[in-house]
Amino acid sequence: MKLVVRVIEAKDLAITDSNGLSDLYVRIQLGKQKFKTKVVKSLTPLWDEQFTFWVDDLKDSLVVSVMDEDKFFNHDYVGRVKVPISLVFDEEIKSLGTAWYSMKTKNKKAPNKECGEIHLSIYISQNNPSLESNDIGDQLLPPRCPDAISPSPSRSFNSLSNSSSLREETASTSSREDKSCTQKSLAGRIAQIFNKSSADLSSISPSRSIDSDQSETTKAEVGEIKIEEEQSSNETFEEALKKLQSADQGSEIPNDLSGGVLIDQLYIIAPEDLNVLLFSSDSNFPKSLSDVQGTTELQIGPWKLENGGETLKRSLTYTKAPTKLIKAVKGYEDQTYLKADGKNFAVLATVSTPDVMYGSTFRVEILYVITPGPELPSGEQCSRLVISWRMNFVQSTMMKGMIENGARQGMKESFDQYAILLCQTVKPVETKDLGSSKEQALATLQPEPQSDLKLAVQYFANFTVFSTFLMVLYVLVHIWLAEPGKVQGLEFVGLDLPDSIGEFVVCAVLVLQGERVLGLISRFLQARARKGSDHGIKAQGDGWLLTVALIEGSNLSNVDYSGLCDPYVVFTCNGKTRTSSIKFKKSEPLWNEIFEFDAMDDPPSVLDVEVFDFDGPFDEAASLGHAEINFLKTNISDLADIWVSLEGKLAMACQSKLHLRIFLDNTRGGNVVKDYISKMEKEVGKKINMRSPQTNSAFQKLFGLPPEEFLINDFTCHLKRKMPLQGRLFVSARIIGFHANLFGHKTKFFLLWEDIEDIQIIPPTFSSMGSPIIVITLWPGRGVDARHGAKTQDEEGRLKFRFQSFVSFNVANRTIMALWKARSLSPEQKVQLVEEDSETKSLRREESGSFIGLGEVNMSEVHSCALSVPASFFMELFSGGELDRMFMEKSGCVNYSYTPWVSEKSDVHERAIYYKFEKRISRYRVEVTSTQQRSSLDGKGWKLEEVMNFHGVPLGDYFNLHTRYQVEDLPQKTKNCKVHVFFGIEWLKSTKHHKRITKNIVKNLQERLKLIFSLVEKEFLAK
């Protein structure tokens, strides 16, 4: 049974702070369940928040307390009200309605002192199947105990001000309740419904003091509530949704929940149709999903409008299928529309499983967001469905980590089935159907056509030019009318000097005006010469390609007396600049220009944007504002269409913005990571192994980095502040980050390589425990977000970070210096440095063997057999589907993860995989990272090549294992195929154990291949 409490507002509250203000919030408690509202700074706060409690015992009381938040001391107590649950249950409609309740203080010396009033709505949800299944429940009213206090929905507790408080009345009658009433548990109440006579139903509490007018009002309101419930229950889903859409006042689409995204997919269906499919009462999708997931006893309640038509909700109950860890449990789900405007829909589902262990301590929240997708080349409508989730712990528990991990695994499995069923019902959008979103977004951009004559008229239409024209015209008319004067003074024929001070001043004004007009003409010609100078320039090279589309500007500030400006924009990235054309006399300019930056080996970190006024004060270009776009802190997909707010005094005063479309593409595919790591190996002088997808994902999640960022290396060290802090230092292509978790206190920050001005090495000291110290100094004003990790800050505002006590200082120092130099140098210097080093620099020797370079690997056949399966089925072993995972797990692999197949060429695809060997396979629990490449054999079969790296095994960093599978269908038999497996070892370091390692690899590889091939045949025969 669910109790719903809506906290609306409060009034007449006492002042607890000396400043006359209060930071008020409401704390609600029922048994061990606790909730609290947001904090509102007002003496007449408005919260309007709703909470749901699970009722286990009708003897419990709902305690609503208003608190004043204090950041430094204990929160101040304002007042509270206590409502027994039996009061709500005793009402005919199981509701106290919406009423004002007088709050009391908990001070024993003044128990009846009023502390203001709070506006609440309290009712028991009728969606519980255990109550709805009782056919007599609608005809019989629950019995009332003689001493019970049951206020009407519209009655305030003010009528009880002259009597004792509600808490005291409940306590004073507790002894009589035991004699006159049966126990107030849910089972006892249901028993009373069947055992009590109808005469008992009309019993009224003698202790009530209710006016006749109030009682009539109560009856009328109860009748209205019943009528509204009947009307809402008769409404169809479409009608209720239309009412909700009319009430939608342009609310924003909620952001994804913090637990992560479960599904993010485009489907070829209109948003409104997808919403009907997923949430309509008449849809068969929920029932089909329950069949797939093994859910039973599914009961779906009707959609109901609440809060005056502002909220649309429904409840579901079901029994979840048993798993390996838990038995079948009852689940309760409430679904609420957060947004519905006809095109965008957001539904929040709150799921609770109170029967599971610790189930009362948490709720699972799932957010479904449906938005219109991009326009397809076929003209069909598509929708984007994003499903995210999070855990909401209503009580603290020591098992929080275990609960979160179990829930995460369960959510992943459930929504994998959800996605498969939805793809079978609605066609998903494939890459070929989507086309190039970048090309579509940029195809509509056309620069505004303007002739030079029109621009010249617009630019020269000002007071300076007009007044100069009149003055020149006036002088010419004067020359035509006047007679030539006689030569006098120092004049001679051909030289006419001013004859008075007035004539001298007039000549000076004419010269100055002429000079200003000539300056305007010169600047106009200069601006037109720069018209679109960078527009349409194609980027050179392969790698990361940055494309920026400048659409328009809004509310650009002006520094000219005319109130208008001549803006142009300068983009800077990795030392390269692109400049837009100049828009004359525009505060709302429209550019529609596209700029491309030369391809880069590694993704860019920051794009600097600055807006200038071409004709500023004193005829110099003045800055109107600037902005910095950090690709590490922003999702690239969010930059496809974005308004960027400009910074600076002028820009912030005018709230200036730029409309941009930014695209960052990788033209090399997966090879960009390999090429970068290969280049860094030459710099560092040490073999750098590619990290597994799982490790890179954890690294990205730790620092909130985009998916294209990859980890290069990490080191154990100490961060020197007041006290050394032990943690790990992570380095990647664009950042250097530090993370520590000491006794539950987490320290985390990262720095961009471009923000580093200098790196110095300080000799070892006693405090650094014999290890040299790396001091990193940032440029002034940079790294503000990481200030908490800095050791000092100099007078110029440069932060300094100190790292010491490295386990392997030489490797850490070489890696950090190589990455910093690679990012701080210009692209031309980088290329020159790599070329010089590749010719002259030999790699240093390592502690246990020399790096011997990468050469051709000699492949030899290790296994060959004919299988009773077609080649297409055998390739399911590498498809990335359920069969792939099943084969790997049955062959002794755990924690198996993989990336999707990515097209590298026309007929070549590549992916990366990661797994561990079980202890029965290898006592070392070896971790394997592998890269697979798949291609066809002229339509006759398939070729799959794999390079495997081993971690956690002795001498695992000395070699890589190469394998090649050639799979061909046998021509005489339609369901048979021939498989040839070749292997080769790529030695990275020299060792005397070559033969022994090779022998062990051949033996284990042959046993593993035989096991996998037998599993493939058994699975095919089973189907």
Side-chain angles (χ1 to χ4, degrees):
M1 183 168 64
K2 290 182 294 184
L3 178 73
V4 181
V5 182
R6 182 185 174 200
V7 182
I8 305 174
E9 57 183 329
K11 64 180 181 181
D12 300 333
L13 301 178
I15 299 176
T16 59
D17 292 346
S18 58
N19 58 5
L21 300 175
S22 296
D23 303 328
L24 300 173
Y25 69 93
V26 180
R27 185 179 65 198
I28 314 145
Q29 182 173 357
L30 178 63
K32 295 183 179 180
Q33 305 174 64
K34 297 179 183 179
F35 295 100
K36 73 174 186 177
T37 66
K38 61 187 177 184
V39 178
V40 177
K41 295 179 180 291
S42 174
L43 290 177
T44 56
L46 175 64
W47 294 286
D48 198 12
E49 296 185 36
Q50 185 168 294
F51 306 94
T52 303
F53 297 87
W54 289 100
V55 180
D56 297 324
D57 192 347
L58 293 178
K59 291 184 180 180
D60 290 339
S61 294
L62 177 72
V63 181
V64 182
S65 306
V66 177
M67 308 293 294
D68 184 6
E69 184 183 49
D70 197 319
K71 294 183 178 179
F72 304 102
F73 303 98
N74 293 334
H75 296 189
D76 297 326
Y77 182 87
V78 179
R80 74 170 181 174
V81 62
K82 190 174 182 180
V83 183
I85 302 302
S86 58
L87 273 165
V88 190
F89 194 86
D90 285 342
E91 289 296 326
E92 179 180 355
I93 60 172
K94 305 293 184 296
S95 172
L96 298 182
T98 304
W100 285 94
Y101 295 83
S102 294
M103 295 188 296
K104 307 294 182 182
T105 180
K106 64 177 181 179
N107 188 353
K108 296 182 179 180
K109 296 181 179 180
N112 296 327
K113 180 182 178 181
E114 294 187 3
C115 305
E117 296 180 319
I118 187 168
H119 201 189
L120 302 174
S121 173
I122 306 174
Y123 65 91
I124 292 177
S125 176
Q126 300 290 336
N127 293 331
N128 196 322
S130 62
L131 296 178
E132 290 183 344
S133 61
N134 187 357
D135 297 333
I136 310 176
D138 295 333
Q139 303 171 11
L140 297 178
L141 298 177
R144 302 176 187 265
C145 294
D147 298 314
I149 299 174
S150 184
S152 65
S154 63
R155 195 183 84 238
S156 169
F157 270 41
N158 289 334
S159 60
L160 302 176
S161 59
N162 297 327
S163 61
S164 60
S165 67
L166 179 61
R167 175 173 52 83
E168 293 177 335
E169 290 188 33
T170 305
S172 64
T173 58
S174 60
S175 60
R176 290 175 292 180
E177 287 178 355
D178 297 335
K179 299 178 181 179
S180 60
C181 299
T182 60
Q183 66 177 21
K184 293 185 178 181
S185 64
L186 181 58
R189 284 296 180 180
I190 295 177
Q192 287 179 355
I193 292 177
F194 293 95
N195 296 331
K196 287 285 182 178
S197 61
S198 60
D200 295 334
L201 303 177
S202 60
S203 62
I204 304 175
S205 171
S207 62
R208 287 186 181 179
S209 57
I210 306 177
D211 295 338
S212 59
D213 295 339
Q214 289 178 330
S215 61
E216 290 177 3
T217 305
T218 301
K219 294 178 182 179
E221 290 183 356
V222 170
E224 291 175 1
I225 293 173
K226 287 184 177 180
I227 293 173
E228 289 177 359
E229 288 183 352
E230 291 176 358
Q231 289 176 351
S232 63
S233 61
N234 293 331
E235 288 178 340
T236 63
F237 171 70
E238 289 75 13
E239 293 173 350
L241 199 60
K242 287 182 180 179
K243 289 185 178 181
L244 185 65
Q245 292 174 6
S246 62
D248 192 301
Q249 300 298 325
S251 58
E252 295 183 357
I253 300 176
N255 296 325
D256 297 338
L257 300 183
S258 57
V261 176
L262 299 168
I263 294 178
D264 187 354
Q265 179 63 46
L266 295 171
Y267 298 93
I268 303 179
I269 186 175
E272 54 271 22
D273 295 336
L274 182 58
N275 175 64
V276 171
L277 172 67
L278 298 183
F279 300 108
S280 174
S281 302
D282 300 330
S283 175
N284 292 324
F285 183 80
K287 298 177 182 178
S288 302
L289 180 63
S290 64
D291 294 338
V292 172
Q293 296 180 344
T295 304
T296 58
E297 301 179 11
L298 175 64
Q299 297 187 21
I300 303 176
W303 287 100
K304 293 183 179 180
L305 285 169
E306 299 179 0
N307 300 334
E310 295 180 358
T311 305
L312 185 61
K313 299 180 64 176
R314 76 171 177 183
S315 296
L316 296 83
T317 59
Y318 43 80
T319 300
K320 299 179 69 66
T323 64
K324 296 179 181 179
L325 299 178
I326 59 174
K327 62 180 181 179
V329 294
K330 195 78 173 179
Y332 302 89
E333 181 174 341
D334 290 333
Q335 295 180 349
T336 306
Y337 269 92
L338 302 182
K339 181 173 182 60
D341 59 6
K343 292 295 183 182
N344 302 281
F345 303 90
V347 178
L348 179 65
T350 303
V351 183
S352 59
T353 53
D355 297 336
V356 76
M357 186 178 296
Y358 300 100
S360 60
T361 63
F362 67 92
R363 306 282 187 269
V364 177
E365 296 180 355
I366 307 170
L367 179 63
Y368 301 80
V369 177
I370 302 174
T371 55
E375 184 179 352
L376 299 179
S378 61
E380 297 176 290
Q381 284 186 304
C382 74
S383 306
R384 183 187 182 190
L385 173 64
V386 179
I387 303 178
S388 57
W389 77 289
R390 71 180 176 193
M391 296 287 292
N392 184 9
F393 284 89
V394 297
Q395 297 180 27
S396 60
T397 173
M398 296 177 62
M399 309 301 292
K400 182 177 179 180
M402 187 183 73
I403 294 173
E404 285 182 333
N405 292 335
R408 184 177 293 107
Q409 182 65 24
M411 295 293 291
K412 183 180 183 302
E413 294 176 357
S414 297
F415 279 91
D416 284 346
Q417 296 172 339
Y418 186 102
I420 292 173
L421 179 62
L422 188 57
C423 289
Q424 294 173 354
T425 308
V426 182
K427 182 181 178 182
V429 177
E430 299 178 0
T431 306
K432 61 180 182 179
D433 298 329
L434 185 61
S436 175
S437 58
K438 171 184 172 181
E439 294 178 358
Q440 293 178 3
L442 300 181
T444 58
L445 301 181
Q446 296 295 332
E448 183 181 4
Q450 284 186 320
S451 64
D452 290 343
L453 179 60
K454 184 178 179 180
L455 288 175
V457 172
Q458 183 180 357
Y459 184 73
F460 292 111
N462 54 58
F463 177 77
T464 300
V465 176
F466 184 71
S467 61
T468 303
F469 175 76
L470 291 180
M471 294 175 66
V472 171
L473 181 62
Y474 185 84
V475 170
L476 292 177
V477 173
H478 169 73
I479 293 174
W480 180 58
L481 295 177
E483 296 181 358
K486 62 180 180 178
V487 177
Q488 58 184 349
L490 298 177
E491 296 177 344
F492 53 86
V493 178
L495 177 62
D496 191 4
L497 298 177
D499 297 334
S500 64
I501 297 298
E503 290 183 0
F504 177 79
V505 171
V506 171
C507 292
V509 170
L510 289 176
V511 171
L512 292 176
Q513 286 291 94
E515 182 187 8
R516 184 165 180 81
V517 171
L518 291 176
L520 289 175
I521 296 173
S522 173
R523 285 190 297 275
F524 177 78
L525 296 177
Q526 182 183 358
R528 295 311 291 165
R530 290 173 49 184
K531 176 181 64 174
S533 59
D534 296 326
H535 182 80
I537 294 180
K538 296 299 181 182
Q540 305 294 324
D542 259 347
W544 292 95
L545 175 64
L546 177 62
T547 304
V548 182
L550 174 61
I551 312 299
E552 57 185 324
S554 175
N555 298 327
L556 297 185
S557 58
N558 59 81
V559 292
D560 200 355
Y561 64 88
S562 64
L564 298 174
C565 58
D566 306 320
Y568 67 95
V569 184
V570 177
F571 299 96
T572 305
C573 182
N574 282 11
K576 298 290 185 179
T577 61
R578 296 288 184 267
T579 306
S580 73
S581 60
I582 300 172
K583 297 297 179 182
F584 295 112
K585 308 302 178 185
K586 295 285 183 67
S587 294
E588 305 281 341
L590 177 66
W591 279 284
N592 283 345
E593 297 181 7
I594 304 171
F595 309 94
E596 288 189 357
F597 289 83
D598 291 340
M600 296 157 276
D601 291 335
D602 44 286
S605 303
V606 174
L607 173 66
D608 291 317
V609 183
E610 189 160 9
V611 183
F612 292 94
D613 181 12
F614 183 72
D615 190 8
F618 309 106
D619 302 331
E620 295 180 358
S623 176
L624 303 181
H626 62 89
E628 180 182 275
I629 299 174
N630 193 322
F631 295 108
L632 288 163
K633 298 181 180 180
T634 309
N635 194 337
I636 293 179
S637 61
D638 296 336
L639 299 177
D641 196 346
I642 185 175
W643 281 90
V644 179
S645 298
L646 299 179
E647 297 179 358
K649 293 182 179 180
L650 293 175
M652 295 179 70
C654 299
Q655 297 183 349
S656 303
K657 295 181 179 180
L658 284 182
H659 188 189
L660 305 176
R661 292 178 184 173
I662 302 173
F663 301 91
L664 186 61
D665 302 314
N666 179 13
T667 60
R668 291 183 184 172
N671 292 330
V672 67
V673 178
K674 295 180 182 178
D675 295 343
Y676 190 86
I677 289 181
S678 176
K679 182 180 67 175
M680 286 298 104
E681 286 176 347
K682 299 176 182 180
E683 289 288 325
V684 177
K686 181 181 182 298
K687 173 64 178 178
I688 301 177
N689 292 321
M690 288 184 61
R691 301 302 179 99
S692 67
Q694 188 177 19
T695 302
N696 279 325
S697 177
F699 167 65
Q700 294 159 8
K701 184 178 180 180
L702 179 63
F703 292 101
L705 302 174
E708 64 269 11
E709 195 68 11
F710 55 92
L711 178 63
I712 293 179
N713 211 338
D714 60 307
F715 312 97
T716 300
C717 67
H718 286 75
L719 172 67
K720 179 63 175 177
R721 294 185 294 184
K722 292 183 179 179
M723 292 290 293
L725 179 64
Q726 182 177 356
R728 294 194 71 81
L729 193 66
F730 299 84
V731 292
S732 68
R734 293 186 286 183
I735 73 158
I736 175 172
F738 180 81
H739 177 265
N741 187 358
L742 191 62
F743 302 115
H745 179 71
K746 296 182 179 180
T747 301
K748 179 176 64 175
F749 62 87
F750 69 84
L751 311 170
L752 299 179
W753 292 114
E754 291 89 339
D755 292 344
I756 299 176
E757 179 182 7
D758 188 25
I759 298 180
Q760 297 177 343
I761 307 299
I762 298 179
T765 62
F766 178 78
S767 61
S768 66
M769 292 174 283
S771 170
I773 303 173
I774 297 179
V775 180
I776 296 178
T777 305
L778 305 187
W779 292 101
R782 312 300 294 182
V784 179
D785 296 340
R787 181 177 301 183
H788 60 279
K791 170 68 174 175
T792 57
Q793 183 175 7
D794 61 14
E795 297 178 353
E796 298 179 3
R798 296 182 297 184
L799 297 174
K800 294 188 177 183
F801 299 80
R802 297 164 67 99
F803 301 97
Q804 63 186 38
S805 304
F806 288 90
V807 176
S808 178
F809 175 79
N810 291 332
V811 176
N813 179 37
R814 292 201 303 267
T815 304
I816 292 173
M817 295 299 293
L819 290 170
W820 173 56
K821 290 179 180 179
R823 294 293 298 191
S824 61
L825 298 177
S826 64
E828 293 81 4
Q829 291 172 320
K830 293 179 187 178
V831 174
Q832 182 180 359
L833 181 64
V834 171
E835 290 177 350
E836 291 176 355
D837 290 346
S838 63
E839 295 175 358
T840 63
K841 188 177 180 180
S842 61
L843 296 172
R844 303 173 181 90
R845 295 184 58 86
E846 294 299 318
E847 292 84 352
S848 57
S850 60
F851 181 76
I852 60 177
L854 304 180
E856 293 294 331
V857 180
N858 296 322
M859 307 290 288
S860 59
E861 186 171 348
V862 68
H863 188 74
S864 176
C865 66
L867 300 179
S868 301
V869 298
S872 58
F873 184 85
F874 180 84
M875 292 304 295
E876 291 290 327
L877 182 62
F878 311 100
S879 63
E882 292 297 327
L883 289 177
D884 185 359
R885 183 179 296 276
M886 183 191 68
F887 291 144
M888 296 298 289
E889 290 177 352
K890 287 186 178 181
S891 61
C893 301
V894 295
N895 298 339
Y896 180 61
S897 61
Y898 51 83
T899 61
W901 286 102
V902 178
S903 177
E904 295 293 327
K905 298 178 182 178
S906 60
D907 195 29
V908 178
H909 296 76
E910 188 172 295
R911 72 167 183 172
I913 63 175
Y914 166 85
Y915 55 87
K916 288 183 180 180
F917 285 120
E918 292 180 352
K919 195 170 183 179
R920 62 183 177 86
I921 302 297
S922 173
R923 61 177 178 172
Y924 296 107
R925 298 295 298 271
V926 182
E927 295 184 25
V928 180
T929 57
S930 169
T931 302
Q932 295 180 344
Q933 195 173 80
R934 182 185 64 190
S935 60
S936 64
L937 295 173
D938 299 329
K940 298 179 181 179
W942 297 90
K943 181 178 72 172
L944 187 134
E945 296 181 288
E946 183 176 18
V947 180
M948 304 168 66
N949 301 317
F950 300 89
H951 310 276
V953 63
L955 304 180
D957 57 341
Y958 277 59
F959 65 94
N960 291 333
L961 177 62
H962 291 240
T963 56
R964 180 190 304 152
Y965 298 81
Q966 291 184 0
V967 186
E968 299 179 2
D969 282 318
L970 295 178
Q972 64 272 20
K973 297 182 179 181
T974 57
K975 292 186 177 181
N976 286 19
C977 68
K978 184 73 173 179
V979 181
H980 299 274
V981 183
F982 303 85
F983 94 104
I985 298 178
E986 177 188 9
W987 294 102
L988 307 177
K989 298 179 183 179
S990 59
T991 175
K992 62 181 180 180
H993 302 290
H994 276 209
K995 294 183 179 180
R996 183 178 176 182
I997 293 174
T998 304
K999 180 180 178 181
N1000 291 336
I1001 288 177
V1002 171
K1003 178 182 176 182
N1004 294 328
L1005 183 59
Q1006 288 176 341
E1007 293 176 355
R1008 178 173 173 79
L1009 291 173
K1010 292 177 181 178
L1011 175 61
I1012 293 177
F1013 291 173
S1014 64
L1015 290 174
V1016 172
E1017 288 185 318
K1018 289 180 181 178
E1019 186 64 22
F1020 180 74
L1021 294 176
K1023 289 193 173 185

